[in-house]
Structures are given as structure tokens and as C-alpha cells.
Amino acid sequence: IAILIFYLSSIPSSGFPKSLGITTKIYHILIFFLLSFFLILAIVKGKIKDKHLIFLAVTLSICYAILDETHQLFVEGRTSTVVDVIIDSIGIFFAAILYAIKINFKPHQKLF
């Protein structure tokens, strides 16, 4: 997923339609959700209650979001914004929250 993010970030703006609008925001949330979720699974490796490892995965994901935006500074026609990092972070935190809910949910309990 990190390689996919890097590849898509390397495409000059001339390779994208002019107005993607909300679609790009959804992409940012979704792709960084996936990056963070799989990174959490890879780092935690069965130590499901270790909050430090989840924090590490979230921190690494946010660092990658910042690096991705920095990388875009060097791609023709692309821009780098703090807003995109914040939007990426929404996906990252959503993945961490979903994982936390999953590990705290007991199979015999009903959600509703």
C-alpha cells in the first residue's frame, strides 16, 4: 500500500482529471486507513492489547503521510498541504479506533 501511495503521488498533475473534488478526499481517507490498519496488524502480531504498538503504527502512518506530502512538492504540478495530512490522519485514526473496538469486543456480546 505504501508503494501504491508513492506511485500515485509520483504522477504529475497532468495525469489526473482537473476536478476530482471530494473523490480525492475519500481516496486519502481510504488509502491511509488501509495503510494504517495493515501496519497495525503487522506490528502488533498477536499482542492485541499492547497500546504502545498501536501508537507506533499510528505514528509511522502519520509520518508516512507527511513524507508523502513532502514528496509531492517535487512532482510537477502537484501541491503539498497540511489539510491533506489531516485528511490522511482521519483514515489513520479510524483504522486504529476500528482495531481497538475489534480487540475489545467479546464474541458473546451483542453490538446492539
Side-chain angles (χ1 to χ4, degrees):
I1 291 176
I3 292 169
L4 175 64
I5 292 169
F6 183 83
Y7 171 74
L8 293 173
S9 293
S10 299
I11 300 172
S13 66
S14 60
F16 285 106
K18 293 295 179 202
S19 63
L20 292 175
I22 193 81
T23 306
T24 59
K25 305 309 178 206
I26 293 170
Y27 158 76
H28 277 265
I29 291 170
L30 178 63
I31 200 74
F32 277 91
F33 169 85
L34 292 173
L35 175 74
S36 182
F37 190 78
F38 289 126
L39 191 57
I40 289 169
L41 292 178
I43 289 175
V44 170
K45 293 182 186 174
K47 301 176 190 112
I48 59 174
K49 298 281 186 176
D50 194 341
K51 293 178 179 80
H52 293 95
L53 294 176
I54 296 170
F55 179 76
L56 175 64
V58 168
T59 302
L60 289 173
S61 297
I62 292 172
C63 288
Y64 193 79
I66 293 167
L67 289 173
D68 177 54
E69 290 301 313
T70 304
H71 166 246
Q72 288 183 40
L73 287 172
F74 302 100
V75 178
E76 180 187 338
R78 300 294 293 267
T79 59
S80 176
T81 67
V82 174
V83 172
D84 281 346
V85 174
I86 293 169
I87 292 169
D88 297 341
S89 297
I90 291 169
I92 293 166
F93 286 119
F94 185 64
I97 291 167
L98 185 68
Y99 184 80
I101 289 170
K102 170 74 173 98
I103 64 172
N104 288 318
F105 178 71
K106 306 223 182 325
H108 62 276
Q109 292 177 335
K110 291 185 180 181
L111 284 176
F112 302 106

